[in-house]
Amino acid sequence: MDTQQQKMLKNLSPTRIILPVLVGLGVLFYMILTDDNINAEVIKNSLSQMDFWWVIASFIVLFARDFGYMFRIRALTDNKLDWNSSFFVIMLWEFASAVTPSVVGGTTVAVFIMNKEKIPFGKALSFVMLTAILDNLFFVFASLLVIALFPGSIFPENNYTTEILGFTLGLKQIFVVSVSLIAVYTLFMAWGLFIGPKSFKRFLWKLTSTKFTKRWRRDAVKSGNEMIVASRELRGHPLSYWVKVIASTIFIWSARYAMLNCLINAFLHISLLGISHQGFLDQCLIFGRQVIMWIVMLISPTPGSAGTAEFFFGEFFKEFFQDGGIVLIVALFWRLFTYYAYLAIGSIVLPRWITKRF
């Protein structure tokens, strides 16, 4: 096994789940213990009154999202991956994303995994780059849409602020910084992938031509060469190809957000078939706030946004609950379903995949 493979497998090591679990659960349990609105009686009543039909619905939506991921990866590869290989790719990709900081993601590991599933390096690289661009475009356009639909209520009314590089920022300012960085990065990557890969490489070369930046020239050249290879691999696809990958991207993220709607409804005691007109608008607002919250979380330096996600969840959704402490219980279920579950699944799937591919 070469050094690069050893490095990739080290990034996938199940021992890497320890830090995000400790950070995420530590922050959440600290918030629960220091919140005067929550105690053993509140927790007991919340769990006893939880609507299990909505919990089941949240599982169904979650499985639909994973199916959407597998459908998209098969569509991207022109069905070169079968369903079994697609399952391994998606589960390990989710695992890699969960144990790396959100600002980094698991894209490098994803290329390695797909390559081991018999997808040539150039194609695997192009597919991973394309998914990153599509996902980021969804974040940007969806966030602008929900802000237009809920201009006065999409951001929670709280006094949360933090200091970054000497600047005091609230949730709105953090969102603006994050979405701007995502938009610039995505446009830059899209230009390199679809319009001018060689110009992209020349730009990186010039960017690393100064005395200070020259230390990164080797990585810049490598990135430029990879962009040229990836761009070449994406040429010549029919319109139906792009329709499938774009539609599946919209479905994947809509299902991810709809899952939390189901989970919140389980604790709000809303009838599964009894959502009024006003209730429907509330559901849209919950959905929209997830879009904004997700963008805020993307700049988190912790693995899988551990700790950051739990904290911001309370900031964005506590106003929907009469008892403010219940939001922390919902946050625990939300992270169990959408984060810790994939840490566990990845730890189980990884040894089987290594045995299969090595």
Side-chain angles (χ1 to χ4, degrees), residues 56-348:
I56 292 171
S58 67
F59 273 113
I60 293 173
V61 174
L62 196 61
F63 290 140
R65 188 207 70 151
D66 289 337
F67 173 80
Y69 266 126
M70 289 187 284
F71 175 86
R72 182 173 71 168
I73 203 67
R74 294 193 76 232
L76 283 166
T77 62
D78 289 318
N79 295 332
K80 295 293 190 303
L81 288 176
D82 58 26
W83 288 104
N84 185 57
S85 294
S86 298
F87 172 80
F88 278 109
V89 169
I90 295 304
M91 291 301 111
L92 292 177
W93 194 343
E94 286 285 301
F95 178 77
S97 298
V99 296
T100 53
S102 296
V103 293
V104 177
T107 52
T108 304
V109 177
V111 174
F112 169 73
I113 296 167
M114 292 180 68
N115 188 227
K116 284 299 175 183
E117 291 294 332
K118 305 299 193 305
I119 301 298
F121 173 80
K123 289 183 180 294
L125 182 66
S126 67
F127 299 147
V128 171
M129 284 185 177
L130 181 56
T131 58
I133 290 172
L134 291 174
D135 290 343
N136 288 342
L137 285 176
F138 178 87
F139 299 149
V140 173
F141 284 110
S143 64
L144 296 178
L145 177 62
V146 297
I147 288 174
L149 293 176
F150 301 96
S153 56
I154 194 64
F155 290 96
E157 296 181 1
N158 56 43
N159 297 318
Y160 170 79
T161 58
T162 188
E163 190 169 306
I164 301 177
L165 299 176
F167 296 94
T168 301
L169 305 178
L171 288 177
K172 290 183 181 179
Q173 290 75 30
I174 295 174
F175 165 79
V176 171
V177 171
S178 185
V179 78
S180 299
L181 291 174
I182 293 169
V184 171
Y185 169 78
T186 304
L187 289 174
F188 184 58
M189 293 297 291
W191 166 60
L193 192 59
F194 297 112
I195 300 174
K198 293 182 180 179
S199 299
F200 177 88
K201 180 181 177 179
R202 285 195 295 269
F203 173 79
L204 292 181
W205 177 270
K206 291 180 181 179
L207 198 64
T208 55
S209 61
T210 67
K211 185 177 180 180
F212 175 73
T213 60
K214 208 165 188 176
R215 69 187 75 176
W216 295 296
R217 171 161 287 185
R218 179 177 294 181
D219 290 336
V221 171
K222 179 183 176 184
S223 297
N225 290 334
E226 289 176 347
M227 184 64 76
I228 293 172
V229 172
S231 177
R232 189 183 303 125
E233 294 292 347
L234 288 176
R235 293 174 186 167
H237 288 292
L239 178 62
S240 59
Y241 176 89
W242 297 105
V243 170
K244 284 192 290 187
V245 296
I246 292 172
S248 57
T249 299
I250 295 172
F251 174 82
I252 288 165
W253 288 101
S254 297
R256 180 187 282 270
Y257 298 146
M259 179 268 167
L260 181 57
N261 282 72
C262 295
L263 195 56
I264 288 178
N265 289 340
F267 286 87
L268 291 180
H269 317 303
I270 297 174
S271 170
L272 191 61
L273 299 175
I275 297 178
S276 64
H277 173 69
Q278 183 60 41
F280 176 75
L281 293 178
D282 288 338
Q283 298 301 315
C284 293
L285 180 59
I286 291 171
F287 187 97
R289 283 202 177 176
Q290 290 179 73
V291 177
I292 303 300
M293 181 183 69
W294 195 268
I295 291 175
V296 171
M297 286 164 44
L298 283 176
I299 61 173
S300 171
T302 59
S305 297
T308 308
E310 289 81 357
F311 173 78
F312 280 121
F313 185 91
E315 294 295 314
F316 273 90
F317 296 107
K318 60 186 176 183
E319 70 183 65
F320 291 95
F321 300 89
Q322 292 181 349
D323 190 334
I326 297 178
V327 70
L328 299 178
I329 302 173
V330 181
L332 177 59
F333 275 88
W334 172 61
R335 290 296 272 175
L336 284 174
F337 290 175
T338 61
Y339 181 65
Y340 298 111
Y342 290 100
L343 289 177
I345 293 171
S347 299
I348 295 170

